[in-house]
Amino acid sequence: RILVSALCITWINVSWTFVEPILAKRLDSFFHLGKKEIGVIFSLSNVVYIPAAFLLQFAFVGLNMRKRRFTVLLSIAITPVAVLLIGSGSIHCLIFGMLLLGLFPAPVWIMLLPSMQEDSLAIYPDTRHRRVANDLTAGIYNSFMIFGQVVGYVLGPALNVTVGFGNTTWIVSGLILMQAISYYYFVLSNASDARLKSVRKA
């Protein structure tokens, strides 16, 4: 359950990093934009993410863990929409996709780590183990986040050379959607709760 959650941050990070090595060339050769316009488009996701991350921390105060996990699932499931818009042949859709890429994944960045820590504490409820469990979970989260950067920087250029920019966004979108399905089955479904209870009893 913790591993599947950690893979979510990997693929959400891929949604950001896979475009970085290939988008500038796309904007230059396909849309004929200058360096200034390219720089502005690259900054759009961060411009949206900063206020979104700040506001979401207040928007989800008081939600129980299951609702938080459902929000994470929804965030992962709709992120491919932003990726597909970036791969479209319209500059307006691409700009809109970059804006959404700063918004859609934000709940994952904010709420995934606390939900992973909740799962680890359910397995190790003893207060003596809480500090160790939290530290290990944070380490797993950060490791998989960095792994997502590596995967994105390698996967984006490799696919772009092989199948082209548009098909690359389709493939990455499909991989993220598959991760959303895995998250539902292994983390959010009733079957996953039963598995967690069996681990806790063991």
Side-chain angles (χ1 to χ4, degrees), residues 66-81:
R66 184 165 184 82
K67 289 181 179 179
R68 285 171 175 260
R69 289 194 178 105
F70 178 77
T71 305
V72 169
L73 172 65
L74 186 62
S75 175
I76 302 167
I78 63 177
T79 294
V81 175

Side-chain angles (χ1 to χ4, degrees), residues 81-154:
V81 175
V83 176
L84 289 175
L85 285 171
I86 292 172
S88 71
S90 165
I91 186 62
H92 298 97
C93 289
L94 188 149
I95 291 172
F96 189 48
M98 290 296 290
L99 291 168
L100 293 180
L101 197 60
L103 177 64
F104 285 172
V108 179
W109 297 104
I110 295 168
M111 290 188 285
L112 187 63
L113 179 57
S115 71
M116 289 172 61
Q117 289 173 327
E118 182 85 4
D119 288 334
S120 66
L121 293 177
I123 299 172
Y124 302 103
D126 194 323
T127 54
R128 294 173 298 176
H129 300 147
R130 282 178 177 264
R131 177 78 176 271
V132 175
N134 279 329
D135 289 347
L136 287 174
T137 305
I140 292 170
Y141 176 91
N142 287 311
S143 297
F144 275 77
M145 181 172 63
I146 298 301
F147 179 60
Q149 287 185 309
V150 175
V151 172
Y153 288 138
V154 173

Side-chain angles (χ1 to χ4, degrees), residues 9-76:
I9 197 63
T10 294
W11 286 108
I12 287 298
N13 213 359
V14 167
S15 74
W16 276 49
T17 57
F18 91 97
V19 297
E20 289 183 12
I22 60 177
L23 182 58
K25 185 177 180 180
R26 169 80 168 180
L27 293 172
D28 180 26
S29 61
F30 190 83
F31 295 109
H32 309 293
L33 298 183
K35 292 181 179 180
K36 182 178 179 181
E37 291 84 359
I38 292 173
V40 171
I41 290 174
F42 264 90
S43 68
L44 292 177
S45 296
N46 289 309
V47 168
V48 173
Y49 172 76
I50 293 170
F54 180 77
L55 294 173
L56 284 172
Q57 295 186 58
F58 297 99
F60 296 111
V61 170
L63 283 184
N64 61 41
M65 190 53 66
R66 184 165 184 82
K67 289 181 179 179
R68 285 171 175 260
R69 289 194 178 105
F70 178 77
T71 305
V72 169
L73 172 65
L74 186 62
S75 175
I76 302 167

